[in-house]
Amino acid sequence: YSIAMTILVLGIKVPSGLDTPNETKLLITGVLLPLLVYFLSFLILGAFWVTTHIHHQLTERTDRTLLWLNIVLLMIIAVIPFSASLLNTYTDNRGSIIFYSVNLLGASMCQLLMLHYSRKKKLFKPHVTKIVFSAVRTRIFLPVIFYLLAVPASFVVPGLALYLFFIPLVFHLIPGQVDKEIAQYRSG
């Protein structure tokens, strides 16, 4: 995750022509929009990282399949800097918005698959109740709705799609049931 987060900044290029009469437009399109996509992608990667960390905290043991699912997740995560760079270059292009959305959907689906696999194979610690499982599943699944909504939005108002990617971050930043359960378990 940290490498993908670091690579994100490499997708931001210093625009030329800031000393021209069109400098305000260049400042917005050449600096502010790429920074917006950078912050968005950095925070989304952070949310994926936190969710993966929570999954690891809840896991008592692992097996070969779960490890390979984690490797697939990392492979999908590693593509996010490319998706962000594509979105930086073609912010209003529905193809770049859809590619970015599909990339995020792939990571979310992989996290859901890992979660359900861990439950099915009884890899979780004994204190992981149905409530905790549901809370983690909801935290993973809720962004999927917005990533899916970004696809039709890209056909109507491409700029709206960008904002749809921000909404799930609110749910990740607010501590939820799973955070309370983990804190309670740690305190004994």
Side-chain angles (χ1 to χ4, degrees):
Y1 289 94
S2 60
I3 292 171
M5 292 166 115
T6 303
I7 292 172
L8 279 174
V9 79
L10 300 176
I12 301 173
K13 306 292 183 217
V14 176
S16 59
L18 285 178
D19 56 351
T20 65
N22 293 332
E23 68 183 38
T24 304
K25 181 181 177 187
L26 282 170
L27 184 65
I28 292 170
T29 60
V31 177
L32 296 180
L33 281 175
L35 283 175
L36 178 73
V37 173
Y38 165 77
F39 289 126
L40 170 69
S41 301
F42 194 93
L43 292 173
I44 287 172
L45 279 168
F48 281 127
W49 195 355
V50 168
T51 302
T52 299
H53 183 69
I54 289 171
H55 182 259
H56 291 324
Q57 283 182 306
L58 300 176
T59 304
E60 183 172 54
R61 58 189 170 74
T62 189
D63 65 12
R64 187 175 182 83
T65 302
L66 186 60
L67 291 173
W68 276 106
L69 287 172
N70 196 47
I71 289 169
V72 170
L73 173 63
L74 291 174
M75 179 181 64
I76 296 167
I77 291 295
V79 176
I80 291 176
F82 172 76
S83 297
S85 182
L86 189 65
L87 196 58
N88 270 340
T89 307
Y90 304 103
T91 308
D92 289 331
N93 180 287
R94 72 174 155 253
S96 65
I97 294 168
I98 292 169
F99 190 88
Y100 189 77
S101 185
V102 168
N103 194 180
L104 301 180
L105 283 166
S108 296
M109 292 294 107
C110 196
Q111 284 189 326
L112 276 172
L113 184 60
M114 290 172 62
L115 185 73
H116 282 278
Y117 178 81
S118 296
R119 183 177 188 199
K120 180 181 177 186
K121 294 295 181 174
K122 299 179 173 40
L123 301 176
F124 286 130
K125 293 176 182 173
H127 77 279
V128 178
T129 63
K130 287 181 182 179
I131 293 170
V132 172
F133 176 82
S134 293
V136 175
R137 183 181 57 205
T138 300
R139 195 166 280 233
I140 295 170
F141 188 73
L142 201 55
V144 167
I145 296 166
F146 294 95
Y147 301 156
L148 285 170
L149 286 173
V151 173
S154 72
F155 285 89
V156 183
V157 184
L160 172 66
L162 226 60
Y163 294 104
L164 288 172
F165 294 124
F166 272 104
I167 295 171
L169 292 171
V170 173
F171 300 107
H172 281 285
L173 295 173
I174 299 170
Q177 182 66 35
V178 73
D179 302 294
K180 293 173 190 169
E181 294 285 336
I182 289 172
Q184 185 178 3
Y185 175 74
R186 284 185 178 159
S187 66

Short mmCIF file of all heavy atoms in Angstrom, two decimals, residues 165-187:
data_model
loop_
_atom_site.label_atom_id
_atom_site.label_comp_id
_atom_site.label_asym_id
_atom_site.label_seq_id
_atom_site.Cartn_x
_atom_site.Cartn_y
_atom_site.Cartn_z
N PHE A 165 -16.72 9.29 -5.74
CA PHE A 165 -15.61 8.52 -5.17
C PHE A 165 -15.25 9.02 -3.77
O PHE A 165 -14.69 8.27 -2.97
CB PHE A 165 -14.38 8.59 -6.08
CG PHE A 165 -14.55 7.91 -7.41
CD1 PHE A 165 -14.33 8.60 -8.59
CD2 PHE A 165 -14.93 6.58 -7.49
CE1 PHE A 165 -14.46 7.98 -9.82
CE2 PHE A 165 -15.08 5.94 -8.71
CZ PHE A 165 -14.85 6.65 -9.88
N PHE A 166 -15.54 10.28 -3.48
CA PHE A 166 -15.22 10.85 -2.17
C PHE A 166 -16.19 10.39 -1.08
O PHE A 166 -15.81 10.26 0.09
CB PHE A 166 -15.23 12.38 -2.22
CG PHE A 166 -13.93 12.98 -2.62
CD1 PHE A 166 -13.75 13.48 -3.90
CD2 PHE A 166 -12.86 13.06 -1.72
CE1 PHE A 166 -12.54 14.05 -4.28
CE2 PHE A 166 -11.66 13.62 -2.09
CZ PHE A 166 -11.49 14.11 -3.38
N ILE A 167 -17.45 10.19 -1.42
CA ILE A 167 -18.49 9.91 -0.43
C ILE A 167 -18.16 8.71 0.47
O ILE A 167 -18.29 8.80 1.69
CB ILE A 167 -19.87 9.77 -1.10
CG1 ILE A 167 -20.28 11.10 -1.72
CG2 ILE A 167 -20.93 9.28 -0.11
CD1 ILE A 167 -21.51 11.04 -2.60
N PRO A 168 -17.71 7.57 -0.08
CA PRO A 168 -17.43 6.43 0.81
C PRO A 168 -16.33 6.71 1.84
O PRO A 168 -16.30 6.06 2.89
CB PRO A 168 -16.98 5.33 -0.15
CG PRO A 168 -17.47 5.72 -1.48
CD PRO A 168 -17.55 7.21 -1.48
N LEU A 169 -15.47 7.66 1.56
CA LEU A 169 -14.39 7.96 2.50
C LEU A 169 -14.94 8.44 3.84
O LEU A 169 -14.35 8.18 4.89
CB LEU A 169 -13.44 8.99 1.91
CG LEU A 169 -12.63 8.49 0.72
CD1 LEU A 169 -11.89 9.64 0.07
CD2 LEU A 169 -11.68 7.38 1.13
N VAL A 170 -16.09 9.11 3.80
CA VAL A 170 -16.71 9.58 5.03
C VAL A 170 -17.01 8.38 5.95
O VAL A 170 -16.75 8.42 7.15
CB VAL A 170 -18.00 10.37 4.72
CG1 VAL A 170 -18.76 10.74 5.99
CG2 VAL A 170 -17.68 11.60 3.90
N PHE A 171 -17.53 7.30 5.36
CA PHE A 171 -17.88 6.11 6.14
C PHE A 171 -16.63 5.44 6.71
O PHE A 171 -16.68 4.83 7.77
CB PHE A 171 -18.68 5.13 5.29
CG PHE A 171 -19.96 5.70 4.77
CD1 PHE A 171 -20.09 6.03 3.44
CD2 PHE A 171 -21.02 5.95 5.63
CE1 PHE A 171 -21.27 6.58 2.95
CE2 PHE A 171 -22.20 6.49 5.16
CZ PHE A 171 -22.33 6.80 3.82
N HIS A 172 -15.53 5.55 6.00
CA HIS A 172 -14.28 4.95 6.48
C HIS A 172 -13.64 5.77 7.59
O HIS A 172 -12.95 5.23 8.45
CB HIS A 172 -13.28 4.76 5.33
CG HIS A 172 -13.58 3.57 4.49
ND1 HIS A 172 -13.32 2.28 4.91
CD2 HIS A 172 -14.12 3.45 3.26
CE1 HIS A 172 -13.69 1.44 3.98
NE2 HIS A 172 -14.18 2.12 2.97
N LEU A 173 -13.84 7.07 7.55
CA LEU A 173 -13.21 7.94 8.55
C LEU A 173 -13.94 7.92 9.89
O LEU A 173 -13.34 8.16 10.93
CB LEU A 173 -13.13 9.37 8.01
CG LEU A 173 -12.21 9.55 6.80
CD1 LEU A 173 -12.33 10.97 6.25
CD2 LEU A 173 -10.77 9.25 7.16
N ILE A 174 -15.23 7.62 9.86
CA ILE A 174 -16.02 7.59 11.10
C ILE A 174 -15.85 6.20 11.74
O ILE A 174 -16.13 5.19 11.11
CB ILE A 174 -17.51 7.85 10.79
CG1 ILE A 174 -17.68 9.24 10.17
CG2 ILE A 174 -18.35 7.69 12.05
CD1 ILE A 174 -19.07 9.49 9.62
N PRO A 175 -15.39 6.17 13.01
CA PRO A 175 -15.28 4.87 13.68
C PRO A 175 -16.65 4.19 13.76
O PRO A 175 -17.67 4.85 13.97
CB PRO A 175 -14.77 5.22 15.08
CG PRO A 175 -14.18 6.58 14.95
CD PRO A 175 -14.95 7.26 13.85
N GLY A 176 -16.65 2.89 13.58
CA GLY A 176 -17.90 2.14 13.58
C GLY A 176 -17.89 1.00 14.58
O GLY A 176 -17.03 0.92 15.46
N GLN A 177 -18.85 0.11 14.43
CA GLN A 177 -19.03 -1.03 15.32
C GLN A 177 -17.78 -1.89 15.41
O GLN A 177 -17.40 -2.32 16.49
CB GLN A 177 -20.22 -1.88 14.84
CG GLN A 177 -20.52 -3.07 15.72
CD GLN A 177 -21.01 -2.66 17.10
OE1 GLN A 177 -21.71 -1.66 17.25
NE2 GLN A 177 -20.64 -3.42 18.11
N VAL A 178 -17.14 -2.12 14.30
CA VAL A 178 -15.95 -2.98 14.32
C VAL A 178 -14.83 -2.36 15.15
O VAL A 178 -14.11 -3.08 15.85
CB VAL A 178 -15.49 -3.33 12.87
CG1 VAL A 178 -14.85 -2.15 12.19
CG2 VAL A 178 -14.54 -4.50 12.89
N ASP A 179 -14.69 -1.06 15.10
CA ASP A 179 -13.67 -0.38 15.90
C ASP A 179 -13.95 -0.54 17.39
O ASP A 179 -13.04 -0.77 18.19
CB ASP A 179 -13.60 1.10 15.53
CG ASP A 179 -13.30 1.31 14.06
OD1 ASP A 179 -12.19 0.96 13.64
OD2 ASP A 179 -14.19 1.80 13.35
N LYS A 180 -15.22 -0.44 17.78
CA LYS A 180 -15.62 -0.62 19.17
C LYS A 180 -15.34 -2.05 19.64
O LYS A 180 -14.86 -2.28 20.74
CB LYS A 180 -17.09 -0.27 19.36
CG LYS A 180 -17.41 1.19 19.14
CD LYS A 180 -18.90 1.44 19.18
CE LYS A 180 -19.21 2.85 18.73
NZ LYS A 180 -20.62 3.06 18.50
N GLU A 181 -15.66 -3.01 18.78
CA GLU A 181 -15.45 -4.41 19.13
C GLU A 181 -13.97 -4.74 19.30
O GLU A 181 -13.60 -5.45 20.22
CB GLU A 181 -16.07 -5.33 18.05
CG GLU A 181 -17.58 -5.25 17.96
CD GLU A 181 -18.29 -5.97 19.08
OE1 GLU A 181 -17.71 -6.89 19.68
OE2 GLU A 181 -19.44 -5.59 19.37
N ILE A 182 -13.15 -4.23 18.42
CA ILE A 182 -11.71 -4.48 18.51
C ILE A 182 -11.14 -3.83 19.78
O ILE A 182 -10.37 -4.46 20.51
CB ILE A 182 -10.97 -3.97 17.25
CG1 ILE A 182 -11.31 -4.87 16.06
CG2 ILE A 182 -9.46 -3.94 17.47
CD1 ILE A 182 -10.80 -4.36 14.73
N ALA A 183 -11.56 -2.61 20.08
CA ALA A 183 -11.11 -1.94 21.29
C ALA A 183 -11.55 -2.69 22.55
O ALA A 183 -10.77 -2.86 23.50
CB ALA A 183 -11.63 -0.51 21.32
N GLN A 184 -12.78 -3.17 22.54
CA GLN A 184 -13.31 -3.93 23.67
C GLN A 184 -12.54 -5.24 23.84
O GLN A 184 -12.20 -5.63 24.96
CB GLN A 184 -14.79 -4.20 23.49
CG GLN A 184 -15.44 -4.87 24.67
CD GLN A 184 -16.94 -5.07 24.45
OE1 GLN A 184 -17.48 -4.75 23.39
NE2 GLN A 184 -17.61 -5.60 25.45
N TYR A 185 -12.25 -5.92 22.76
CA TYR A 185 -11.51 -7.18 22.81
C TYR A 185 -10.10 -6.95 23.37
O TYR A 185 -9.61 -7.73 24.18
CB TYR A 185 -11.43 -7.81 21.42
CG TYR A 185 -10.59 -9.06 21.38
CD1 TYR A 185 -11.05 -10.24 21.91
CD2 TYR A 185 -9.32 -9.03 20.81
CE1 TYR A 185 -10.28 -11.39 21.88
CE2 TYR A 185 -8.52 -10.17 20.78
CZ TYR A 185 -9.02 -11.34 21.30
OH TYR A 185 -8.24 -12.47 21.27
N ARG A 186 -9.45 -5.86 22.95
CA ARG A 186 -8.10 -5.57 23.41
C ARG A 186 -8.05 -5.22 24.91
O ARG A 186 -7.09 -5.52 25.58
CB ARG A 186 -7.51 -4.41 22.61
CG ARG A 186 -7.08 -4.83 21.25
CD ARG A 186 -6.40 -3.68 20.56
NE ARG A 186 -5.94 -4.06 19.26
CZ ARG A 186 -5.68 -3.22 18.31
NH1 ARG A 186 -5.78 -1.92 18.50
NH2 ARG A 186 -5.26 -3.64 17.13
N SER A 187 -9.11 -4.55 25.38
CA SER A 187 -9.11 -4.14 26.77
C SER A 187 -9.43 -5.30 27.72
O SER A 187 -9.31 -5.18 28.91
CB SER A 187 -10.09 -2.98 26.99
OG SER A 187 -11.41 -3.42 26.75
#
